[in-house]
Amino acid sequence: MQRAALLDAARSLLSEGGTDALTFPALARRTGLARSSVYEYFRSRASVVEELCAVDFPRWAAEVEAAMAEADAAEARVEVYVRSQLALIGDRRHRAVAAISAGELDPGAREKIRAAHGGLISMIVDALAELGHAEPRLAAVLLQGVVDAAVRRIELGAAEPPETVTEAAVAMALGAVRA
């Protein structure tokens, strides 16, 4: 329970103040633990980040995958793939992951993020193959690039409302997969 409380506090700190806010003293204050107790659960900030990735990315990916499973056609799965990822932007877990991604990470944490993104990309490869793409893996990577750009645009508080960015990303994705 303490470990879960520490991870929850880490998500809050990251989503509120970015990677600079994630410190052991701040974790201790948020959870009511002594600072030395935090070290019993995590050896470093990097280990907190790695565990957040290990816990949150699979949940996020499962939500995207479940939404895609409800779509009956390949093109619909592409649309759901884009929409479901963009819908998660307001989620505290996503804000924490975005803060982690923007910060300086050690190679282990960065590799966990890369592997998790690879899992997301793998979800859409079959739909793209079904749509006739000669290089469905490459098309999936490029499609994820559209999603990532839309995520950054929304997170930056762009002039356009998030719904406009989402609709533009969906239109680009569907236009590309139809081509």
Side-chain angles (χ1 to χ4, degrees), residues 57 59-68 77-91 93-95 97 116-124 140-152 154-155 162 166 169-170 173:
F57 263 104
R59 289 180 186 161
W60 186 19
E63 290 173 31
V64 172
E65 192 169 35
M68 287 175 62
R77 286 194 302 279
V78 170
E79 181 174 352
V80 168
Y81 177 81
V82 173
R83 285 188 189 282
S84 60
Q85 286 187 68
L86 295 178
L88 289 169
I89 292 173
D91 186 303
R93 289 170 300 159
H94 180 271
R95 287 193 310 270
V97 168
H117 268 268
L120 279 174
I121 290 166
S122 294
M123 285 182 206
I124 199 66
V141 170
L142 296 174
L143 174 60
Q144 186 62 43
V146 169
V147 173
D148 293 343
V151 166
R152 282 189 302 278
I154 292 169
E155 286 176 341
T166 298
V170 168

Side-chain angles (χ1 to χ4, degrees), residues 15-165:
S15 65
E16 294 165 10
T19 53
D20 291 340
L22 181 61
T23 66
F24 278 27
L27 283 171
R29 279 191 303 278
R30 287 280 173 113
T31 57
L33 294 172
R35 183 176 167 187
S36 60
S37 296
V38 176
Y39 285 98
E40 292 177 29
Y41 295 94
F42 299 103
R43 66 187 185 291
S44 65
R45 270 179 15 143
S47 64
V48 175
V49 168
E50 287 178 34
E51 186 144 345
L52 278 174
C53 290
V55 170
D56 290 347
F57 263 104
R59 289 180 186 161
W60 186 19
E63 290 173 31
V64 172
E65 192 169 35
M68 287 175 62
E70 293 180 21
D72 56 354
E75 192 172 301
R77 286 194 302 279
V78 170
E79 181 174 352
V80 168
Y81 177 81
V82 173
R83 285 188 189 282
S84 60
Q85 286 187 68
L86 295 178
L88 289 169
I89 292 173
D91 186 303
R92 194 166 56 108
R93 289 170 300 159
H94 180 271
R95 287 193 310 270
V97 168
I100 291 166
S101 299
E104 293 295 318
L105 299 175
D106 69 11
R110 197 162 296 287
E111 183 53 39
K112 285 187 185 291
I113 289 173
R114 238 186 309 255
H117 268 268
L120 279 174
I121 290 166
S122 294
M123 285 182 206
I124 199 66
V125 170
D126 289 342
L128 294 168
E130 201 176 310
L131 288 167
H133 283 272
E135 297 281 342
R137 180 96 183 139
L138 174 59
V141 170
L142 296 174
L143 174 60
Q144 186 62 43
V146 169
V147 173
D148 293 343
V151 166
R152 282 189 302 278
R153 186 79 181 161
I154 292 169
E155 286 176 341
L156 288 173
E160 310 86 11
E163 302 79 27
T164 301
V165 176

